Amino acid sequence: MNTTTTFPLLNAINELETHFDFQAIAKAKLQETGLPTVRDEAWRFTDIRALNQLDLPVASTDTEFEDTDKWWSKGIVNAVTVPYVNGDFDINAELPEGVKLYTCNTAPEELKSQIGSALTDDKTPFVDLNHVLAKKVMILHVSKNADVSRVIHIKGITSADVQVHPRILVIAESFSRVQIVETWQGPAASRYFVNPLSEFVVNAGAIVSHTKLQDDSKTAFHIASIFVKQYGDSQYINHAVQFGAHVGRNDIVAELAASNSVCTLNGLYLPTAKQIHDTHSLVHHAMPHCESHELYKGALSEKGQGVFNGAIYVHKDAQKTNAYQTNRALLLSDNAKVNTKPQLEIYADDVRCSHGATIGQLDKQAMFYLQSRGLDPEVAKAMLTVAFTAEAIADMPEVELRDVIDDMLIEHFSN
Amino acid sequence: MLSIRNLKAAIEDKEILKGISLEVKPGEVHAIMGPNGSGKSTLAQVLAGHPFYEATEGDIEFQGKDLLDLDPNERAGEGLFLGFQYPVEIPGVSNTYFLRNALNAILEYREEEPMDALTFKKLLKEKMEVVGMKDELLKRPVNTGFSGGEKKRNEIFQLLVLNPKLAILDETDSGLDIDALKVVSDGVNNFRNEENGVVLVTHYQRLLNYIQPDFVHVLMEGKIVRSGGKELALELEERGYDWLREEVN
């Protein structure tokens, strides 16, 4: 295949010299097979032709950067912020006790060797693209038993007309506790492509909260891959909220690699205008006595499209697995659309798995009730919609951020 | 304050109200009674502007305005309140948040200043005492997980906080035990004054032992077949509706 003509986005990799074997492999693979299209099952409802067509340069330190911080940024209080601007960050950023920041050049060998350790075979071509084009790997190391008092806010910012491939590795050592917040933004109405790849290695007994707020430009593309590897008695709690991007997608793969680990994946998707918000989750139950809980909610307006694909894979050794998954969507217009697909593969015989999906509209009785008390139909609609979404973020441990997201939701649905 | 003239209303082309006329003046309490399916609840819903019902004929004047021209929220702004037979559960919206927004929306409609947080809090406290509502119910989502009695109490609480000109209470007494009935009635009596009006829609006479109506109207098959004073309710209690049905036919 002539990938250059079909996928101008890949022009960025052609001239590039690779430094490592994994990069060379990734590059060769991309040059051979290209990027996904709607003909690929996993991208059937997520048309990224417009992205594939973009011939964007990779952001560098020379890329012009305009600090147009969104209002919600200031609401994330009690956090230590590490800006990740156009794929670059300050290695000397100050961090709370128990957490250290490295990149490839500065990380001790035993940490560096863990890059890629949480990845599974469930990689999209965008993981390969990140392998080839990532500039500076952000490694956050949380030491053993550390109970990190402050939220770590990785603040991703992208400039217009570039592509950026942020790469994050979080290693939470045994019995540590940490809260990581990831936010993404860029200049309003600008076009860019951000392709973050993050790995979370959650060691025995560690508890990691990972909240992601995507508020990119509505004409940008945000395709993220998150890989989580959990060891015994660990907990990983993810909340992913998608507001922005023309196409916003999260591919989350969690591997429960040792017994008694608990994985929670919650999220909100809120496409409007012609946005597409896609969530692909995949939970590998590899070992017995693990739990996974998933709750996703979508509120779609105008011509917004939602895609949810929730896969649960219970391997043959994973007896006593307890896994449930729910996706609920609220269609606020006749033209909004959601495609939802649960996918359960179970090879153990003593498990509890359930899934549910509902698609509905605003309750007319509730609308009338609120209106009969004096509320304008638009206000009533916003109130009911925000209430509908509340459940998906109710357990977010970062309470201040949740309040900020509440305000964002009210603003979003009041327009 | 309310004049209904020859009102006909339908749901999905099925005519339910077949020509109703009713006059409510300030300070009056009217009871609308009648057997199941007579159109009592339909009348209440049409007055509040439920979108499922269509008024096909006649008119309703409320406070000098054509009520049928107004949206449900505008009707509330003008001072109309419907106490629901089945109050709707609104998960995720706290009672306080809801009421504050509702009250301020009504004030905004009347081009008045919104109520400040402190005054609002005082108002809530005062009205909570009237209906014996616990603090905890204020923080809970509207009606969510409330018992039948708690829901009805919450309706009366909203009535007192919003303080409308005209309260239409649709089967507010249904499903209540005697203690709850007393609380709800006390609330309505607390609300009553020379300037406002109350329309009680009820199936049973027992509510009228606690709230004394000035007029009783009997609705049957979409028409008011008899009007009288409170003694009419007692007669219905004693004799049921059949004698009236026979007399009408």
Side-chain angles (χ1 to χ4, degrees), chain A residues 65 67-70 72-73 81-89 138 153-159 164 166 168 181-187 192 194 196 213-216 222:
Chain A
F65 168 67
D67 192 0
T68 48
D69 205 6
K70 297 260 181 109
W72 48 254
S73 251
T81 302
V82 185
Y84 203 174
V85 180
N86 288 326
D88 194 19
F89 62 93
M138 181 185 284
H153 174 199
I154 302 170
K155 185 173 170 182
I157 309 176
T158 310
S159 292
V164 180
I168 299 164
V181 167
E182 236 186 284
T183 65
W184 296 95
Q185 58 178 311
Y192 56 84
V194 58
L213 170 61
Q214 188 267 96
D215 193 26
D216 277 305
H222 181 115

Side-chain angles (χ1 to χ4, degrees), chain A residues 62-268:
Chain A
D62 299 333
T63 300
E64 220 174 281
F65 168 67
E66 197 189 334
D67 192 0
T68 48
D69 205 6
K70 297 260 181 109
W71 63 267
W72 48 254
S73 251
K74 288 158 200 73
I76 308 174
V77 293
N78 190 33
V80 178
T81 302
V82 185
Y84 203 174
V85 180
N86 288 326
D88 194 19
F89 62 93
D90 177 7
I91 191 74
N92 298 314
E94 221 169 285
L95 284 162
E97 212 185 308
V99 186
K100 285 205 165 70
L101 177 65
Y102 302 99
T103 188
C104 279
N105 304 334
T106 63
E109 192 51 44
E110 70 269 22
L111 298 185
K112 217 165 98 178
S113 64
Q114 292 187 53
I115 297 174
S117 66
L119 301 183
T120 65
D121 290 337
D122 315 287
K123 296 188 285 271
T124 70
F126 288 101
V127 172
D128 290 320
L129 193 60
N130 185 290
H131 282 340
V132 182
L133 295 173
K135 290 275 182 214
K136 195 171 180 180
V137 183
M138 181 185 284
I139 302 172
L140 281 166
H141 180 255
V142 186
S143 49
K144 195 175 168 182
N145 297 326
D147 187 353
V148 183
S149 58
R150 296 177 71 187
V151 172
I152 296 167
H153 174 199
I154 302 170
K155 185 173 170 182
I157 309 176
T158 310
S159 292
D161 302 312
V162 291
Q163 52 176 308
V164 180
H165 302 268
R167 180 78 160 94
I168 299 164
L169 168 64
V170 176
I171 300 167
E173 296 293 0
S174 314
F175 301 101
S176 61
R177 292 172 79 112
V178 69
Q179 297 180 354
I180 310 273
V181 167
E182 236 186 284
T183 65
W184 296 95
Q185 58 178 311
S190 69
R191 200 183 53 174
Y192 56 84
F193 170 44
V194 58
N195 178 35
L197 166 59
S198 17
E199 284 182 85
F200 286 79
V201 179
V202 187
N203 283 294
I207 301 174
V208 174
S209 164
H210 173 206
T211 295
K212 176 178 166 179
L213 170 61
Q214 188 267 96
D215 193 26
D216 277 305
S217 152
K218 292 211 165 40
T219 42
F221 295 86
H222 181 115
I223 311 281
S225 307
I226 299 164
F227 288 86
V228 183
K229 190 161 193 167
Q230 287 186 246
Y231 293 96
D233 301 290
S234 67
Q235 284 181 48
Y236 170 81
I237 304 119
N238 179 283
H239 288 87
V241 181
Q242 304 196 65
F243 276 101
H246 174 54
V247 177
R249 170 157 167 153
N250 288 319
D251 277 273
I252 306 183
V253 181
E255 186 187 355
L256 302 168
S259 293
N260 299 314
S261 41
V262 181
C263 176
T264 304
L265 306 178
N266 292 347
L268 272 184

Side-chain angles (χ1 to χ4, degrees), chain A residues 296-312:
Chain A
Y296 286 89
K297 284 202 161 183
L300 305 91
S301 32
E302 296 181 35
K303 285 186 178 166
Q305 288 184 52
V307 181
F308 177 79
N309 191 103
I312 299 172

Side-chain angles (χ1 to χ4, degrees), chain A residues 363-377 379 383-384 386-388 390 410, chain B residues 45 48-50 72-73 76 81-82 84 88 90-91 93 97-98 101-102 105-106 143 155 158:
Chain A
D363 179 358
K364 290 200 173 75
Q365 284 294 0
M367 274 295 286
F368 176 60
Y369 189 71
L370 295 185
Q371 267 182 274
S372 79
R373 295 294 179 259
L375 297 169
D376 188 80
V379 175
M383 204 180 262
L384 289 177
V386 173
F388 167 81
I410 292 166
Chain B
Q45 301 279 342
H50 196 294
N73 50 307
F81 177 93
L82 172 64
F84 281 59
V88 183
I90 320 263
V93 179
Y97 180 78
F98 161 60
N101 275 277
I106 290 170
N143 294 326
E155 292 292 287
Q158 291 178 28

